[in-house]
Amino acid sequence: MDERTIAMLVVYLLCMFAGVPAKGKPLLDVCATCHANATCDDKSDGSGKVCNCKYGFVGNGRNFCQDKDECLISAKLCGQHTTCHNTYGSYYCTCLTGYSPSNNMTVFIPNDGTHCQDIDECRITGQCGDGGQCRNLEGSFDCSCMVGYKVHNGTEPFHPMKDKASCKVVNCGPPVSVKDTVLLSVTGTTYSSVAMFGCDEGFVWRTGDNSSVCGADGLWRRPTLVCEAKCGPVPFIANSEVVWQNRSVVVHRCVVGYHSWRGNNVSVCGSSGAWQKATLTCIETKPPINHLFMFNENCLHWKAEKYEEDTEVYKVTYTGSRDYQKSFHDKRKHFLSSKADQLELCLNLLPVTNYSISITATLARFTASITTNTSLPVPLAPVIYYREYETPLPTLRLRRSPSTLDPISLYQVFVLPVEEIMMFDCSSPVSLDSSSKMKSPAKYITAQFDVQHVGTDMNFTVGDGFLYGGIYNTPLQGGNNYYIILRAVSQWRTALESNCVLWAKVRGTSYVLKVSSLAATALVGLLAVVLLGMYSFTWYYTYFIICPVNVM
């Protein structure tokens, strides 16, 4: 036999021996091995006993039987609007808030058809409090206020327990009086209360209703009665209103936006039954500072509106800033007292500056504001020391006064050959870029300086071969005549202004010509000395050698 057959035979024998009880030993009692939460039941085929876990437990019936959580098996185990509660070996159900069980039991198991049904909370009297009306909802309810009541501490609809809101009766407060009337009686101040009015003394009730009712909106409905003075309707004065009156006197005042301009503000009912009308004149109130504008860049103009010809004190405050100079700050004040209706004030504003200006009429307590931007002026030329030179390396001098425009200003030195150009256009659009090196036979820039880096005094040698502002200071050509032009330039954004002065004139004489002139002069001098010496010798020889003088 092969190994597989032998193995099968061994397994078969083992199974047979396992099923035959040992001689003299009793059979195993299956029920004795059942778990405490299990029952011992007959097998369905009648072959013996078996251990089964009790209802509400799961396991093998012998080693373990653990609690089964029925609430996890199905979300709808208890039905709608319920909460499932697991217990050891069982479960039970309860209804959610706002619902009650159909069997009126607090807890139930829905095997008898018990279910949760909506509770109509509105059946409870006073559920929403005084003035509230209840509305039933599925599983809940809400409240709103009846006419004559308004919600307090919340908005509608509301839940009285959750929102802590309630309805309170509308209160209109004291009745509102009407012109020319007096309050006769009032039943209260809450919704639907009634107030009764009558005409004041000296007035007659002509038309209209004299009752006023507190409405659901919390406002009194105005009575419509019309009371007229015995002298007839109150006199009309344009742009005025009545501030007080009785049967014979009316006090007028100008309405908002107008002010009185002389005249009497009282109308009197005369004995003849006619009004002596007030002479009050109401004119339109205009701002104390009106039609404010700038002119000539530095001056303010405005119109003063005053009730009378009083002296007004104006406080002028102005602050200046510059986009190109963040550290710059110009803040000044000026005071002006005047009775005039038209005012002008010049402030001496600095150039190329953004100004915010405010003017306050101190007595009227009124402030007006305006902004302005000053323009770029022609820069001031420095003080130069003009000279004429005959050297190809002339040293020039200047003196300048510091200006607030130094950060946007330059000095440029131009060289003009006299033989080629006799006129110079100061506003010519020569580049201010330090990297540009404009060189031409007619004219060229030989140096450029940022003004803010130039001291009070500056010396500059034309043609020394150095770089100034990135521009090569080209040596002058010997034998040529030149004009040296100094140009002051101020530029900000697209605006450019310049000013030019003639700094020096250089007369050119060639070196060879100078040496030749000096040699010729020396030779002439030498010949003169020789001739003078020969003349002296001849004279001496004639008078002292050839013609001696006899001495006695």
Side-chain angles (χ1 to χ4, degrees):
M1 291 186 295
D2 56 12
E3 295 181 356
R4 182 177 180 182
T5 304
I6 295 173
M8 292 179 63
L9 181 59
V10 170
V11 171
Y12 176 75
L13 293 176
L14 287 173
C15 291
M16 291 199 52
F17 287 128
V20 178
K23 184 181 284 188
K25 292 184 179 180
L27 292 175
L28 178 64
D29 187 358
V30 174
C31 293
T33 64
C34 290
H35 192 273
N37 292 321
T39 59
C40 188
D41 303 316
D42 293 326
K43 291 184 178 180
S44 58
D45 58 0
S47 60
K49 297 289 188 177
V50 65
C51 295
N52 293 319
C53 290
K54 296 179 181 178
Y55 178 79
F57 295 90
V58 292
N60 59 13
R62 298 178 65 185
N63 298 331
F64 71 95
C65 285
Q66 64 183 18
D67 176 55
K68 177 174 64 175
D69 190 348
E70 292 84 358
C71 295
L72 296 178
I73 296 175
S74 173
K76 298 182 179 180
L77 182 63
C78 290
Q80 294 184 342
H81 314 302
T82 61
T83 301
C84 183
H85 305 270
N86 183 58
T87 61
Y88 191 69
S90 186
Y91 73 98
Y92 67 90
C93 304
T94 59
C95 291
L96 297 176
T97 302
Y99 295 87
S100 62
S102 58
N103 62 358
N104 295 324
M105 300 295 290
T106 304
V107 299
F108 62 92
I109 296 177
N111 54 8
D112 61 351
T114 301
H115 61 279
C116 293
Q117 56 192 8
D118 175 56
I119 298 174
D120 186 0
E121 294 85 354
C122 293
R123 291 182 301 175
I124 302 174
T125 303
Q127 184 74 284
C128 291
D130 292 341
Q133 50 190 9
C134 182
R135 180 181 64 167
N136 185 56
L137 302 174
E138 184 68 24
S140 184
F141 72 100
D142 63 21
C143 301
S144 59
C145 295
M146 295 186 294
V147 176
Y149 291 81
K150 61 181 180 180
V151 65
H152 175 70
N153 197 31
T155 57
E156 294 181 304
F158 61 90
H159 194 286
M161 280 76 77
K162 295 178 181 178
D163 303 330
K164 305 299 181 183
S166 61
C167 293
K168 286 193 174 182
V169 65
V170 170
N171 194 324
C172 294
V176 180
S177 61
V178 182
K179 183 179 68 171
D180 306 331
T181 66
V182 292
L183 179 65
L184 300 178
S185 64
V186 60
T187 60
T189 60
T190 58
Y191 172 67
S192 74
S193 295
V194 179
M196 303 299 293
F197 291 87
C199 289
D200 199 357
E201 183 181 359
F203 292 85
V204 178
W205 181 3
R206 298 299 185 190
T207 60
D209 185 8
N210 71 329
S211 63
S212 178
V213 179
C214 177
D217 56 358
L219 301 175
W220 286 98
R221 179 176 58 81
R222 294 175 64 86
T224 60
L225 79 163
V226 176
C227 297
E228 293 183 358
K230 290 181 178 179
C231 282
V234 172
F236 172 76
I237 298 178
N239 305 313
S240 72
E241 62 185 357
V242 175
V243 293
W244 183 86
Q245 73 180 84
N246 59 20
R247 63 181 178 178
S248 58
V249 178
V250 177
V251 179
H252 307 266
R253 72 177 175 189
C254 297
V255 297
V256 176
Y258 291 81
H259 65 84
S260 60
W261 184 255
R262 304 182 179 89
N264 180 2
N265 69 330
V266 178
S267 296
V268 178
C269 179
S271 58
S272 62
W275 286 104
Q276 297 175 5
K277 185 177 178 182
T279 58
L280 174 69
T281 299
C282 295
I283 63 173
E284 184 179 2
T285 302
K286 296 182 180 179
I289 302 172
N290 199 15
H291 297 102
L292 175 64
F293 64 89
M294 297 287 302
F295 67 98
N296 294 338
E297 283 199 355
N298 277 277
C299 300
L300 292 166
H301 180 278
W302 70 91
K303 184 177 180 181
E305 295 285 347
K306 302 190 295 294
Y307 290 169
E308 301 288 346
E309 295 180 357
D310 298 328
T311 298
E312 180 60 273
V313 178
Y314 300 94
K315 176 183 176 183
V316 182
T317 304
Y318 48 108
T319 303
S321 62
R322 289 174 171 173
D323 298 336
Y324 61 89
Q325 193 177 7
K326 299 302 182 183
S327 61
F328 176 86
H329 190 70
D330 181 23
K331 186 173 184 179
R332 287 177 276 169
K333 293 180 181 179
H334 191 91
F335 289 90
L336 174 66
S337 297
S338 176
K339 291 183 178 181
D341 294 333
Q342 305 283 340
L343 293 101
E344 293 183 358
L345 177 65
C346 294
L347 301 175
N348 190 26
L349 302 180
L350 297 177
V352 199
T353 305
N354 308 318
Y355 278 99
S356 177
I357 306 171
S358 64
I359 305 175
T360 300
T362 57
L363 299 181
R365 297 182 180 180
F366 180 85
T367 299
S369 299
I370 191 172
T371 60
T372 186
N373 301 320
T374 53
S375 62
L376 180 67
V378 174
L380 294 175
V383 177
I384 56 96
Y385 301 90
Y386 175 82
R387 285 184 57 190
E388 296 185 359
Y389 300 87
E390 293 187 1
T391 172
L393 290 172
T395 299
L396 314 182
R397 295 178 57 206
L398 66 79
R399 174 180 289 271
R400 77 174 184 94
S401 298
S403 167
T404 62
L405 296 184
D406 286 352
I408 58 172
S409 300
L410 298 169
Y411 285 154
Q412 293 178 322
V413 183
F414 285 81
V415 175
L416 282 73
V418 176
E419 290 79 3
E420 298 182 9
I421 182 168
M422 299 301 294
M423 296 184 65
F424 177 73
D425 183 6
C426 186
S427 62
S428 59
V430 177
S431 172
L432 300 181
D433 185 359
S434 63
S435 63
S436 67
K437 302 177 178 59
M438 178 178 178
K439 303 291 185 293
S440 71
K443 60 181 177 179
Y444 62 87
I445 300 177
T446 196
Q448 181 169 282
F449 306 92
D450 290 333
V451 173
Q452 62 182 343
H453 298 146
V454 175
T456 303
D457 294 281
M458 186 184 80
N459 295 332
F460 171 66
T461 301
V462 180
D464 62 5
F466 293 104
L467 293 174
Y468 295 92
I471 297 176
Y472 180 59
N473 187 14
T474 306
L476 301 180
Q477 298 294 323
N480 294 333
N481 295 331
Y482 298 95
Y483 284 122
I484 309 301
I485 303 292
L486 178 64
R487 179 163 85 160
V489 179
S490 294
Q491 182 180 23
W492 174 239
R493 294 178 178 163
T494 59
L496 183 147
E497 298 290 345
S498 58
N499 194 359
C500 295
V501 292
L502 180 62
W503 202 355
K505 181 178 181 180
V506 180
R507 300 179 183 276
T509 303
S510 67
Y511 178 75
V512 175
L513 182 59
K514 284 187 176 182
V515 172
S516 299
S517 299
L518 291 173
T521 302
L523 180 59
V524 172
L526 181 60
L527 289 174
V529 171
V530 172
L531 290 174
L532 180 62
M534 291 177 65
Y535 174 78
S536 300
F537 177 76
T538 302
W539 183 83
Y540 178 80
Y541 182 77
T542 302
Y543 287 94
F544 292 97
I545 303 299
I546 299 177
C547 300
V549 178
N550 293 323
V551 178
M552 295 302 295

